[in-house]
Amino acid sequence: MRLLIIGSLDGQIGAASRIAIERGAKVRHAVTVEAGLDEIRGQGADLVMVDVKCDIRALIEALETERITLPVVACGIASDASAAVRAIKAGAKEYIPLPPDADLIAAVLAAVTEERHSIVFKDPRMAQTLKLAEQVAASDASILITGESGTGKELVARFIHRKSRRADRRFVAVNCAAIPENLLESELFGHEKGAFTGAVARRIGKFEEANGGTLLLDEISEMDVRLQTKLLRVLQEREIDRVGGSQPVKVDVRILATSNRQMEEAVRQGSFREDLYYRLNVVTLALPALRERPLDIPVLAEHFAKRYSESNGLPLRPLTVEARQMLTRHGWRGNVRELENCLHRAVLLAQGNEIGPEAILLSGAPAAGPADPVVAQAAAAAAAVTSGARSPLVGKTVAEVERDLILDTLNAYLGNRTHAANILGISIRTLRNKLKQYADEGIAVPPPAGVEADRATL
């Protein structure tokens, strides 16, 4: 939860910030509406708390003009009823009286989090999975959540946290696949000043950030075996060692982990420690792929159509019967994430009063964009065989075909390593190693995109 506080709040900003931070929020502050808008444009936010003395109407109108969908909560002196009324009429979702009440702020943060991380479903298979998740949520047992990429593993982890006894404490997520190996140890366990070059001050790691709450280790199967050994000790001893530290630090953390791989196979191959697997695997939740829960496809499609219509300032248009049929028949290799992207495109491309088949661009379909390179190459080869022509793959070595496929996929997804690895069905580490090999051979490699580009500079 990223919380932005705008205004002075009559000196109550410190108290409000502390309460929000204790509830797991990352808090930033801006003195004016203009400075707040700059913060939102530059770093984003999940919730804005604004002093009623600020121009709330101007803030909300600016957000609407720029098509930024963001809940705004007004704050002010409890006795100023007229200011509260003006704030609500200006578009604020809630009004919090000052001085701040911890339970009220916690409730507002929880409501916003619930809305952002809600799980939309109708299919009995997903209902059964969530029922089991709720049953085990109250315990402190470690839970392993498995499933293909895009099935909603992190959403289920957040669901478990909300239903647990630790719901009022922090939920901290770490993507083990997205952080380079040499940084992940410090990210998890923290470090002391001078522990290594660049360690100019002590840093608290994710385990200490999540103390008393829940830590999600996303894509844990990508973690280096050396770190797995250290993690196993943490689970056994309930204490961590900061990098460069001399004394262990006690932690009380509930561990959730996710993986899109077959963990038993990773254990057999030696890339994942067997003892750590059994330590984490007290309970396993296996999320079904989207194609295995077809009743969820239309309700998710309507949900995403509504979300992206609102966020882009467009009218809400229903899906036609033909569009629904197209979505239901599709294989959804990228699962819910692929469906979400598809509906985002459809909202932007739709003409008229409905979203029809012409706005539905499916991966692997003739009009899809960006085309899935895996499907495209397979289709081209099949067409060549049918027509009697020689396949374009003939004459190339296996290594050359693999290289072309990896680079084509990476180009199709604008340099996004994570998406490309998911589509190719390989780990992000394997993809990075291949790209390094190609670069060393003098082959041009697409640069990382977005957040990945920022991480690449670390």
Side-chain angles (χ1 to χ4, degrees), residues 124-176:
R125 286 202 60 179
M126 196 62 183
Q128 184 178 8
T129 301
L130 291 179
K131 182 180 179 181
L132 177 58
E134 189 165 4
Q135 279 183 277
V136 300
S139 72
D140 273 342
S142 299
I143 298 176
L144 182 62
I145 306 169
T146 62
E148 296 178 7
S149 294
T151 48
K153 296 186 289 295
E154 182 173 342
L155 285 181
V156 172
R158 290 181 181 275
F159 172 84
I160 292 170
H161 174 71
R162 292 198 303 270
K163 298 294 182 180
S164 74
R165 295 193 298 264
R166 299 170 180 259
D168 61 340
R169 307 304 296 271
R170 295 202 66 179
F171 176 93
V172 178
V174 182
N175 190 330
C176 300

Side-chain angles (χ1 to χ4, degrees), residues 371-374 377 396 399-417 420-421 423-424 426 431-447:
D372 186 332
V374 180
Q377 286 208 20
K396 292 186 176 181
E400 288 172 335
V401 171
E402 178 187 64
R403 180 196 64 207
D404 292 347
L405 182 57
I406 287 174
L407 294 178
D408 285 351
T409 303
L410 199 58
N411 278 312
Y413 288 90
L414 306 178
N416 190 304
R417 270 71 170 150
I423 291 297
L424 291 164
I426 60 178
L431 178 60
R432 285 182 179 137
N433 288 340
K434 291 288 184 183
L435 296 179
K436 183 179 184 303
Q437 174 190 331
Y438 302 153
D440 291 343
E441 293 170 355
I443 298 169
V445 173

Side-chain angles (χ1 to χ4, degrees), residues 136-445:
V136 300
S139 72
D140 273 342
S142 299
I143 298 176
L144 182 62
I145 306 169
T146 62
E148 296 178 7
S149 294
T151 48
K153 296 186 289 295
E154 182 173 342
L155 285 181
V156 172
R158 290 181 181 275
F159 172 84
I160 292 170
H161 174 71
R162 292 198 303 270
K163 298 294 182 180
S164 74
R165 295 193 298 264
R166 299 170 180 259
D168 61 340
R169 307 304 296 271
R170 295 202 66 179
F171 176 93
V172 178
V174 182
N175 190 330
C176 300
I179 301 174
E181 293 175 24
N182 59 328
L183 297 179
L184 184 56
E185 181 175 7
S186 175
E187 188 77 13
L188 290 174
F189 307 117
H191 62 252
E192 297 288 352
K193 179 179 179 180
F196 49 83
T197 302
V200 296
R202 170 187 285 182
R203 178 179 176 182
I204 299 301
K206 298 301 184 184
F207 269 93
E208 289 182 82
E209 282 187 34
N211 195 27
T214 303
L215 177 64
L216 170 64
L217 299 174
D218 198 17
E219 300 303 344
I220 192 172
S221 51
E222 302 304 318
M223 183 181 288
D224 183 77
V225 174
R226 182 182 63 85
L227 271 185
Q228 292 177 27
T229 304
K230 194 166 184 177
L231 176 59
L232 179 62
R233 181 180 177 278
V234 174
L235 296 178
Q236 292 171 337
E237 306 297 332
R238 296 292 174 179
E239 62 183 28
I240 64 164
D241 293 308
R242 296 193 193 110
V243 179
S246 58
Q247 294 293 329
V249 179
K250 289 289 184 182
V251 290
D252 172 24
V253 176
R254 201 260 185 94
I255 298 294
L256 305 178
T258 72
S259 177
N260 60 8
R261 297 175 60 190
Q262 292 292 332
M263 295 297 290
E264 293 86 352
E265 182 63 25
V267 170
R268 281 195 293 271
Q269 293 175 352
S271 61
F272 200 84
R273 288 184 61 116
E274 184 175 21
D275 46 5
L276 177 58
Y277 170 64
Y278 288 119
R279 174 69 68 168
L280 292 169
N281 190 27
V282 177
V283 178
T284 295
L285 292 174
L287 300 193
L290 184 57
R291 60 185 172 275
E292 297 170 350
R293 42 187 175 111
L295 294 181
D296 284 348
I297 295 174
V299 295
L300 282 166
E302 295 287 356
H303 170 73
F304 291 132
K306 182 176 185 292
R307 173 190 291 181
Y308 288 110
S309 294
E310 291 176 351
S311 66
N312 288 283
L314 297 170
L316 178 60
R317 289 168 286 196
L319 289 155
T320 64
V321 173
E322 294 81 2
R324 286 170 176 267
Q325 290 173 344
M326 283 182 66
L327 297 174
T328 304
R329 289 195 300 264
H330 189 58
W332 301 115
R333 291 178 56 194
N335 292 290
V336 180
R337 188 179 295 120
E338 181 187 353
L339 176 62
E340 180 177 2
N341 292 338
C342 175
L343 265 296
H344 193 172
R345 287 195 299 267
V347 164
L348 300 176
L349 296 175
Q351 303 291 324
N353 297 323
E354 295 179 306
I355 298 176
E358 69 283 352
I360 306 296
L361 305 183
L362 299 173
S363 299
D372 186 332
V374 180
V375 176
Q377 286 208 20
V385 171
T386 303
S387 65
R390 195 170 80 164
S391 166
L393 302 180
V394 174
K396 292 186 176 181
T397 66
V398 172
E400 288 172 335
V401 171
E402 178 187 64
R403 180 196 64 207
D404 292 347
L405 182 57
I406 287 174
L407 294 178
D408 285 351
T409 303
L410 199 58
N411 278 312
Y413 288 90
L414 306 178
N416 190 304
R417 270 71 170 150
T418 303
H419 288 178
N422 288 337
I423 291 297
L424 291 164
I426 60 178
S427 71
I428 190 72
R429 182 179 301 155
T430 299
L431 178 60
R432 285 182 179 137
N433 288 340
K434 291 288 184 183
L435 296 179
K436 183 179 184 303
Q437 174 190 331
Y438 302 153
D440 291 343
E441 293 170 355
I443 298 169
V445 173

